[in-house]
């Protein structure tokens, strides 16, 4: 499509991927959405975090069992090769999340960027791992990302892609302002992310409307404060009995949502013709980093991790 500063962008929200679903069935759903995205004019389709499987960190099991059932030892591999073949055939890029087992025995929650020739051109490994590493049987479900994954070791890189600069993050990363700023400082105009967010927190009480609100609040703030586009793809509906929030969205650099998934159960593709020129005004004025940022006052952000203790 279009000019150098535009991109047809699709976000593919997934309905549940249940533990009992076949790999082949899930792949077919991804292929169908990739074709729909292309049919609607997309040059890039963004899929969720851990898109090939259920969100398995909600289950306690040995690492060896998790690796055998849920991790990918190579990317691509025969199970997922048809997605790469279809992307090449259609001439469309995609972003997708999966559990990565490296040849030297490391485990990451990973996302890749694949171009229209089906070449992997970027890789990101999740930095902010939520949850816990120990088994908590009193919880309604587990969130064991700290058990199954290591903290990502690639940082928040950016890539020149389709005449713009893009970056990636995964799920919980979207709640941390540092995520977007590190990529914004590199000139990223689009951040892609996949997520698996349950409607109910597993460890403390929140009002039922808050998970949706916090999701949108985070991606809209990240987009606005860095004058960038954000494309967020999640899962929706009851996955293995746990409800996922959905709400996949494309957010413009002014923080406004320009496309949002409406469904509450099924796979759904949303689309927007993104114009990267919309980054320019805010980058020249309100969020002109070079002019207005005051790094001499930001030292604590990298010097300190936790919050200072409150003085009684
Ligand atoms: N997959 C995630 O990172 N999920 C978290 C949960 C713990 C709320 C999220 O931030 O959405």
């Amino acid at each position: 499509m279009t000019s150098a500063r535009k991109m047809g962008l699709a976000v593919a929200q997934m309905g549940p991927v249940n533990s009992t679903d076949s790999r082949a069935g899930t792949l077919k759903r991804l292929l169908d959405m990739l074709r729909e995205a292309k049919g609607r004019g997309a040059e890039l389709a963004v899929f969720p975090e851990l898109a090939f499987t259920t969100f398995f960190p909600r289950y306690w099991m040995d690492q060896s069992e998790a690796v055998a059932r849920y991790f990918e030892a190579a990317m691509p591999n025969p199970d997922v090769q048809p997605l790469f073949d279809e992307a090449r055939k259609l001439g469309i890029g995609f972003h997708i999340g999966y559990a990565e087992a490296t040849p030297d025995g490391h485990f990451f929650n990973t996302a890749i960027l694949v171009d229209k020739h089906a070449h992997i051109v970027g890789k990101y490994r999740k930095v902010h791992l939520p949850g816990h590493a120990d088994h908590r049987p009193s919880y309604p479900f587990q969130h064991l990302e700290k058990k199954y994954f290591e903290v990502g070791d690639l940082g928040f890189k950016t890539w020149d892609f389709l005449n713009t600069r893009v970056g990636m993050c995964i799920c919980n990363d979207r709640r941390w302002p540092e995520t977007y700023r590190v990529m914004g400082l590199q000139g990223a105009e689009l951040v892609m992310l996949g997520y698996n967010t349950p409607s109910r927190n597993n460890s403390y009480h929140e009002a039922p409307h808050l998970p949706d609100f916090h999701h949108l609040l985070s991606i809209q703030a990240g987009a606005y404060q860095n004058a960038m586009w954000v494309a967020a793809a999640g899962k929706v509906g009851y996955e293995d009995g746990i409800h996922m929030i959905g709400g996949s969205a494309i957010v413009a650099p002014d923080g406004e949502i320009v496309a949002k998934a409406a469904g509450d159960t099924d796979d759904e593709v949303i689309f927007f013709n993104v114009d990267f020129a919309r980054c320019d005004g805010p980058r020249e004025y309100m969020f002109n980093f070079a002019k207005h940022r005051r790094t001499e006052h930001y030292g604590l952000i990298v010097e300190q991790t936790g919050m200072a203790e409150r003085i009684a």
Side-chain angles (χ1 to χ4, degrees):
M1 70 164 278
T2 58
S3 79
R5 299 281 291 148
K6 292 190 176 176
M7 180 197 289
L9 177 63
V11 164
Q13 174 162 287
M14 297 182 80
V17 182
N18 293 303
S19 298
T20 49
D21 293 350
S22 71
R23 281 276 196 146
T26 304
L27 198 78
K28 181 181 177 313
R29 289 166 53 189
L30 295 170
L31 286 169
D32 286 347
M33 288 197 284
L34 192 72
R35 291 185 193 112
E36 180 178 342
K38 178 67 184 185
R40 292 173 68 178
E43 295 156 281
L44 176 65
V46 177
F47 291 107
E49 173 191 34
L50 300 177
F52 300 118
T53 65
T54 198
F55 188 73
F56 66 87
R58 72 168 76 87
Y59 304 112
W60 179 262
M61 68 193 111
D62 288 344
Q63 186 76 14
S64 57
E65 183 185 346
V67 170
R69 292 182 63 177
Y70 299 114
F71 279 75
E72 317 294 327
M75 188 54 65
N77 59 57
D79 284 345
V80 305
Q81 186 63 47
L83 188 65
F84 285 72
D85 294 344
E86 192 68 10
R88 189 186 302 108
K89 190 176 119 195
L90 296 172
I92 182 172
F94 67 91
H95 157 107
I96 197 159
Y98 65 99
E100 178 189 13
T102 70
D104 56 344
H106 294 280
F107 305 102
F108 299 103
N109 188 342
T110 295
I112 47 170
L113 176 63
V114 179
D115 72 11
K116 67 178 180 182
H117 307 293
H119 297 138
I120 296 176
V121 294
K123 179 183 275 192
Y124 169 72
R125 292 172 171 155
K126 188 172 183 177
V127 165
H128 300 100
L129 296 176
H132 41 100
D134 56 321
H135 193 202
R136 301 189 178 178
S138 64
Y139 284 10
F141 55 91
Q142 307 297 300
H143 195 110
L144 295 163
E145 288 198 60
K146 286 195 191 296
K147 168 175 164 56
Y148 296 122
F149 301 122
E150 295 160 55
V151 172
D153 58 355
L154 300 176
F156 294 103
K157 290 197 186 115
T158 60
W159 296 268
D160 289 332
F161 187 79
L162 291 174
N163 295 310
T164 187
R165 186 165 298 168
V166 303
M168 299 185 260
C169 67
I170 301 178
C171 196
N172 192 262
D173 289 322
R174 76 195 188 287
R175 303 184 192 274
W176 300 91
E178 296 87 347
T179 296
Y180 307 90
R181 183 52 50 90
V182 170
M183 292 187 270
L185 283 167
Q186 296 171 68
E189 293 186 315
L190 168 66
V191 166
M192 299 162 280
L193 67 100
Y195 60 96
N196 280 272
T197 300
S199 298
R200 179 180 166 195
N201 195 307
N202 78 341
S203 51
Y204 65 94
H205 175 73
E206 273 183 325
H209 65 282
L210 286 178
D212 299 282
F213 171 67
H214 291 155
H215 156 62
L216 295 176
L217 178 70
S218 300
I219 60 175
Q220 291 183 257
Y224 168 63
Q225 292 171 348
N226 295 279
M228 58 172 51
W229 292 86
V230 172
K235 291 194 197 144
V236 70
Y238 286 92
E239 185 175 271
D240 282 353
I242 304 295
H243 191 261
M244 313 299 276
I245 62 170
S248 301
I250 299 174
V251 185
D254 55 18
E256 286 204 317
I257 295 168
V258 295
K260 184 161 178 272
D264 63 0
T265 311
D266 298 324
D267 294 345
E268 179 178 351
V269 176
I270 58 172
F271 173 85
F272 196 77
N273 272 315
V274 165
D275 186 350
F276 293 105
R278 283 176 70 168
C279 302
D280 297 347
R283 285 182 181 206
E284 276 155 30
Y285 180 64
M286 186 68 78
F287 294 111
N288 186 325
F289 290 169
K291 266 199 186 136
H292 305 306
R293 289 183 76 244
R294 297 267 55 110
T295 53
E296 69 273 27
H297 296 296
Y298 304 157
L300 274 186
I301 286 176
V302 289
E303 285 158 18
Q304 187 175 313
T305 307
M307 201 178 285
E309 281 192 21
R310 210 170 58 158
I311 300 163

